[in-house]
């Protein structure tokens, strides 16, 4: 099969509930050869399929060198993801992928990383953080900035605490609305940037989250003279085919599924900041 | 130079017979439900003899003319698109076994080789564009390719233009110049045929007909030139991508809010629109599913839906997306604009919105009036 539209069978190996509406699935393709041949780059995504429900694009969070499982962290936002959340260990589903262009793991080599995440369990950026932490000699300082709406939205606290213990890694947390036990700040993610001593030519900005937050980060980083080609964003659009055929994910001249989902800002600049584009 | 042969009008059935003898079922234009559509064709008498079309914004009518020509109409609502990128087809199926395992099987397109008579220059240009999308992209679409490779195309040079035609402005017509196997120019007394492929030459040879004379060739060229000269719609000077992307905040878009019904007719009749949605059909016992794709329109709110958000929620945003893509960002994607000047979107728009007028407006500096100065809400 040269045409990557028919799913392959996958099996749920493990599942975890992260929050009431966020869960993680460890999957394995049931065809052992296909699983062994499966390769991806952080930031790429799979189409996960439930019979009779349909397909959804979900980014991959596992490490690309783990040949045994393919991990996804999924938020329940509709009928397919709600039902993916009901899967139990041993259940079967469809999987095709990986698709798209992932994070600039090579282009960002030798630079400091500013990873900015807005919202809950932003899987695409987590995949890059984990990737870079396992290969720290290839990257400079890693700044991890997580913004959430409410303090109680914050998940994976242990993971952030662990990241904080790495050398040359700092972690910054902020919420729009805090509470008494909130360990971070209150306010926008951009409030930390003055403290990061950013060297613009040696910095790669990696972000995913709501477009409003990404817009604020882009504006700030451009003011700090970080080149547009070093500001990277993971975009979301409606996708049905994942191979640039169905036309639904278009963002200007770009097919988000095929040309992205990761773009540098220079590629998006002509279309950026306009409602309904 | 291709050798031009002359087929007398009364022998048109010989051409149909020669195509059939070469193994092709034949599809050709016929009048159904007061429109010209493509359907199985067995003999020349089924053709729209002496029928002309009257098209204008929001209007399509057929009339009897005082000629006996077969191809004096310009376009019907269909182009080749329904034959190659079909309105709905199954891509794959899944079956859940009693033990819970899932089996997937790919579906395969299976169209017999088919000869299509009566295709126009605009539609061949549109086919070339869809070829780029479905055949020559990073992933070749086997469903499209299977059908596309089985087409034998008998194209017609237009001697008439409808009011809505503007193929001369896009550079795609009215003379056929790409993708045809056989081309045909119609004169009162018969047809000038030109073969452009080896198989077409064989079919032409089997007809045992003589060459067209210079006077006939001149008359055909004059007719084609007149068809071009009669077109009055034009496009802003290109390239248009930068102009249209730069016009994203033009106040004119907002005027579409009071005119465009977002019905999607323009995208359904457009010979280059390729958007699709994938839909599931499930058996009553829930164990078998069929995964289909079908034509989809960017005028549908669902087209841009992501988890609770419709990105293009406003009508003017959806019209802007269509027009900006078709005439602008298409250039970066496919090396040319996505319009071949067939004019269908103008005729089949129920409220008569004219793309050429909308383009002219958004490619001009805004004129600030009380009506047009509002910003999109």
């Amino acid at each position: 099969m040269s045409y990557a539209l028919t799913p392959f069978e996958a099996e749920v190996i493990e599942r975890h509930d992260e929050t009431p509406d966020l869960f993680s699935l460890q999957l394995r393709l049931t065809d052992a050869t296909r699983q062994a041949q499966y390769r991806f780059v952080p930031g790429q995504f799979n189409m996960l399929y439930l019979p009779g429900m349909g397909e959804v694009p979900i980014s991959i969070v596992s490490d690309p060198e783990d040949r045994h499982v393919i991990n996804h962290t999924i938020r329940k936002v509709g009928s397919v993801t709600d039902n993916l959340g009901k899967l139990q260990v041993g259940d079967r589903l469809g999987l095709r992928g990986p698709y798209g262009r992932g994070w600039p793991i090579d282009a960002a080599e030798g630079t400091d990383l500013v990873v900015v995440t807005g919202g809950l369990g932003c899987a695409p950026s987590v995949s890059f953080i984990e990737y870079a932490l396992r290969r720290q000699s290839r990257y400079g300082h890693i700044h991890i900035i997580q913004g959430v709406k409410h303090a109680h939205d914050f998940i994976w606290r242990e993971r952030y605490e662990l990241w904080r213990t790495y050398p040359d890694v700092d972690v910054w947390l902020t919420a729009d609305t805090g509470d008494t036990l909130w360990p971070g700040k209150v306010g926008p993610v951009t409030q930390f940037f003055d403290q990061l001593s950013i060297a613009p030519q040696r910095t790669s900005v990696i972000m995913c989250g709501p477009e409003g937050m990404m817009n604020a980060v882009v504006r700030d980083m451009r003011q700090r003279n970080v080149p547009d080609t070093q500001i990277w964003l993971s975009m979301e659009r409606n996708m049905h085919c994942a191979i640039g055929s169905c036309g639904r994910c278009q963002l200007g001249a770009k097919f988000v599924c095929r040309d992205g989902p990761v773009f540098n800002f220079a590629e998006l600049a002509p279309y950026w900041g306009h409602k309904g584009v | 130079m291709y050798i031009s042969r002359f087929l007398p009008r009364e022998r048109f059935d010989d051409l149909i017979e020669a195509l059939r003898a070469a193994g092709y079922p034949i599809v050709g234009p016929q009048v159904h439900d007061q429109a010209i559509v493509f359907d199985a064709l067995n003999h020349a008498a089924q053709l729209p003899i002496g029928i002309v079309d009257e098209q204008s914004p929001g209007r399509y009518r057929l009339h009897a003319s005082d000629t006996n020509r077969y191809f004096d109409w310009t376009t019907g609502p269909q182009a080749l698109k329904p034959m190659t990128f079909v309105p709905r087809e199954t891509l794959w199926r899944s079956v859940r076994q009693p033990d819970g395992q899932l089996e997937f099987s790919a579906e395969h397109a299976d169209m017999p080789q088919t000869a299509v008579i009566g295709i126009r220059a605009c539609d061949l240009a549109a086919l070339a564009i869809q070829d780029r999308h479905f055949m020559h992209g990073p992933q070749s679409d086997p469903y499209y390719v299977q059908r596309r490779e089985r087409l034998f195309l008998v194209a017609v040079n237009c001697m008439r233009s409808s009011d809505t035609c503007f193929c001369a402005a896009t550079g795609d017509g009215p003379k056929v110049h790409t993708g045809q196997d056989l081309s045909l120019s119609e004169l009162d007394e018969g047809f000038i045929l030109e073969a452009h492929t080896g198989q077409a030459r064989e079919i032409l040879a089997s007809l045992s007909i003589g060459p067209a004379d210079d006077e006939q060739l001149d008359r055909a060229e004059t007719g084609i030139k007149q068809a071009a000269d009669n077109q009055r719609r034009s496009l802003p000077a290109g390239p248009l991508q930068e102009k249209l992307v730069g016009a994203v905040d033009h106040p004119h878009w907002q005027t579409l809010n009071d005119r465009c019904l977002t019905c999607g007719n323009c995208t359904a009749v457009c010979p280059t629109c390729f958007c699709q949605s994938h839909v599931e059909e499930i058996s009553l016992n829930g164990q078998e599913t069929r995964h289909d794709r079908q034509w989809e329109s960017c005028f549908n709110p669902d087209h841009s839906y992501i988890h609770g958000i419709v990105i293009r929620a406003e009508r003017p945003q959806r019209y802007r997306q269509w027009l900006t893509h078709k005439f602008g960002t298409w250039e970066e994607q496919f090396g040319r604009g996505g319009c071949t000047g067939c004019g269908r979107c103008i005729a089949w728009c129920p409220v008569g919105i004219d793309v050429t007028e909308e383009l002219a407006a958004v490619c001009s500096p805004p004129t600030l009036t009380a009506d047009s100065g509002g910003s999109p809400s």
Side-chain angles (χ1 to χ4, degrees):
Chain A
M1 279 297 293
S2 59
Y3 196 56
L5 272 186
T6 308
F8 298 104
E9 188 194 46
E11 180 179 5
V12 178
I13 302 300
E14 264 187 62
R15 57 152 299 140
H16 299 285
D17 285 309
E18 311 284 358
T19 70
D21 63 357
L22 194 74
F23 60 97
S24 296
L25 294 179
Q26 278 197 0
L27 305 177
R28 184 184 295 154
L29 294 167
T30 54
D31 181 324
T33 310
R34 201 172 297 286
Q35 174 65 46
Q37 290 168 346
Y38 183 91
R39 299 283 185 281
F40 72 96
V41 173
Q44 284 191 297
F45 65 96
N46 285 321
M47 295 297 281
L48 300 186
Y49 169 72
L50 283 178
M53 307 294 304
E55 292 185 298
V56 282
I58 305 286
S59 73
I60 310 160
V61 289
S62 37
D63 191 278
E65 282 170 27
D66 183 343
R67 300 272 186 264
H68 303 291
V69 290
I70 305 165
N71 290 358
H72 295 92
T73 295
I74 304 166
R75 190 147 62 97
K76 297 176 189 173
V77 290
S79 56
V80 184
T81 48
D82 285 352
N83 283 282
L84 283 168
K86 294 174 187 164
L87 292 180
Q88 300 300 320
V89 171
D91 283 349
R92 308 294 172 99
L93 69 160
L95 183 156
R96 59 186 176 98
Y99 294 115
R101 180 176 69 167
W103 294 113
I105 51 175
D106 296 328
E109 262 193 46
T111 66
D112 294 339
L113 304 180
V114 178
V115 185
V116 189
T117 301
L120 310 181
C122 197
S125 60
V126 169
S127 71
F128 193 26
I129 293 169
E130 299 276 4
Y131 180 90
L133 288 175
R134 290 194 183 102
R135 299 157 182 83
Q136 249 190 298
S137 63
R138 288 165 56 180
Y139 302 98
H141 202 97
I142 303 177
H143 309 282
I144 299 168
I145 297 151
Q146 165 78 48
V148 291
K149 215 174 182 99
H150 302 285
H152 59 253
D153 291 334
F154 185 57
I155 62 161
W156 294 334
R157 193 170 289 217
E158 309 76 29
R159 193 180 292 194
Y160 282 86
E161 291 307 320
L162 176 67
W163 290 342
R164 208 191 282 280
T165 64
Y166 280 71
D168 295 322
V169 175
D170 45 67
V171 174
W172 310 77
L173 305 176
T174 186
D176 290 345
T177 312
D179 64 22
T180 46
L181 293 176
W182 175 239
K185 298 273 190 187
V186 172
V189 290
T190 48
Q191 67 181 300
F192 304 117
F193 294 171
D194 278 341
Q195 300 165 65
L196 302 185
S197 59
I198 290 169
Q201 299 302 322
R202 285 190 293 106
T203 294
S204 299
V205 181
I206 304 293
M207 65 182 128
C208 75
E211 288 184 24
M213 178 218 80
M214 293 203 284
N215 194 31
V217 175
V218 165
R219 206 179 309 127
D220 189 295
M221 287 297 169
R222 295 182 95 197
Q223 277 167 9
R224 292 169 198 273
N225 296 317
V226 176
D228 287 352
T229 52
Q230 288 168 217
I231 301 174
W232 298 87
L233 309 84
S234 182
M235 301 300 296
E236 283 186 298
R237 285 293 183 271
N238 186 303
M239 295 175 190
H240 281 197
C241 74
I243 59 170
S245 178
C246 79
R248 304 178 71 110
C249 69
Q250 290 180 79
L251 174 53
K254 308 298 181 192
F255 292 92
V256 171
C257 70
R258 184 184 77 198
D259 304 326
V262 173
F263 294 95
N264 68 51
F265 186 71
E267 297 168 308
L268 297 181
Y271 318 112
W272 191 254
H274 301 285
K275 205 178 161 208
V277 170
Chain B
M1 193 56 207
Y2 304 104
I3 296 173
S4 302
R5 301 273 160 186
F6 177 72
L7 179 72
R9 178 167 299 280
E10 60 276 13
R11 289 193 57 197
F12 196 82
D13 273 325
D14 292 356
L15 173 61
I16 293 175
E17 198 44 53
L19 288 166
R20 195 176 293 123
Y24 291 102
I26 296 149
V27 166
Q30 288 149 65
V31 176
H32 287 329
D33 300 325
Q34 300 169 52
I36 288 174
V37 297
F38 285 91
D39 203 349
L41 184 79
N42 297 314
H43 41 80
Q46 291 172 281
L47 292 165
I49 300 171
I51 299 292
V52 294
D53 48 352
E54 175 209 340
Q55 301 194 45
S56 58
R59 186 175 171 82
Y60 179 93
R61 297 286 186 278
L62 297 182
H63 301 295
S65 74
D66 52 5
T67 76
N68 59 349
R69 292 198 180 199
Y70 300 168
F71 301 102
D72 230 12
W73 49 278
T74 57
T75 55
Q78 300 164 304
L80 280 164
K81 187 167 86 169
M83 299 192 65
T84 46
F85 168 40
V86 299
R88 181 159 177 157
E89 68 185 314
T90 298
L91 299 180
W92 44 269
R93 297 168 190 274
S94 76
V95 179
R96 192 179 285 285
Q97 304 297 332
D99 63 1
Q101 290 190 35
L102 278 178
E103 279 181 7
F104 295 95
S105 57
E107 199 79 358
H108 301 286
D110 188 22
M111 188 181 87
Q113 56 175 359
T114 303
V116 186
I117 295 178
I119 285 302
R120 308 305 174 121
C122 53
D123 292 341
L124 281 171
L127 182 69
I129 288 174
Q130 289 227 319
D131 285 353
R132 279 205 64 167
H133 182 66
F134 288 108
M135 292 174 78
H136 306 311
Q139 292 224 32
S140 182
D141 181 317
Y143 307 91
Y144 181 92
V145 171
Q146 196 275 343
R147 299 188 181 95
R148 173 69 181 93
E149 288 179 341
R150 297 197 166 196
L151 287 180
F152 182 93
L153 298 170
V154 182
V156 174
N157 291 311
C158 287
M159 303 278 180
R160 249 188 88 239
S161 285
S162 285
D163 169 72
T164 46
C165 292
F166 56 102
C167 60
T170 65
D172 295 305
K175 190 179 171 72
V176 168
H177 48 69
T178 177
Q180 73 280 25
D181 292 282
L182 201 60
S183 69
L184 175 162
S185 299
E186 185 173 24
L187 304 172
D188 283 338
E189 69 273 26
F191 307 88
I192 298 168
L193 300 179
E194 281 181 4
H196 297 262
T197 57
Q199 181 145 39
R201 273 189 287 279
E202 284 175 28
I203 287 167
L204 217 49
S206 75
L207 289 172
S208 307
I209 48 177
D213 64 38
D214 287 348
E215 184 276 331
Q216 286 174 318
L217 293 172
D218 284 348
R219 254 193 295 147
E221 286 304 319
T222 304
I224 295 166
K225 184 174 180 306
Q226 269 173 4
D229 291 346
N230 287 341
Q231 294 181 10
R232 56 187 187 80
R233 284 181 164 73
S234 62
L235 296 176
L240 292 178
Q241 176 163 333
E242 201 177 325
K243 283 185 185 175
L244 283 166
V245 171
V248 62
D249 292 323
H250 199 294
H252 182 78
W253 297 117
Q254 199 56 27
T255 69
L256 271 307
N257 198 43
D258 301 326
R259 295 181 288 139
C260 177
L261 307 177
T262 65
C263 68
N265 262 18
C266 48
T267 58
V269 295
C270 178
T272 66
C273 273
F274 56 78
C275 281
Q276 310 146 37
S277 66
H278 288 205
V279 293
E280 291 275 299
E281 291 287 339
I282 187 161
S283 65
L284 276 177
N285 68 6
Q287 302 307 296
E288 296 178 28
T289 60
R290 208 179 72 205
H291 193 81
D292 289 357
R293 75 168 165 201
Q294 62 187 20
W295 289 2
E296 164 69 351
S297 172
C298 54
F299 285 94
N300 181 348
D302 179 63
H303 190 269
S304 65
Y305 174 88
I306 44 169
H307 47 73
I309 306 162
V310 173
I311 289 177
R312 292 184 280 275
E314 311 286 337
R315 270 180 288 182
Q317 293 168 345
R318 300 207 282 277
Y319 190 87
R320 182 180 70 191
Q321 168 65 17
W322 184 66
L323 203 72
T324 302
H325 182 219
K326 185 66 61 184
F327 289 90
T329 50
W330 209 287
E331 290 173 352
E332 181 177 326
Q333 294 173 346
F334 300 104
R336 60 158 293 172
C339 175
T340 63
C342 74
R344 288 186 178 90
C345 58
I346 305 173
W348 294 93
C349 174
V351 295
I353 294 172
D354 180 339
V355 282
T356 64
E357 288 178 8
E358 305 309 316
L359 271 175
V362 298
C363 290
S364 305
T367 48
L368 285 176
T369 67
D371 289 339
S372 65
S375 59
S377 56

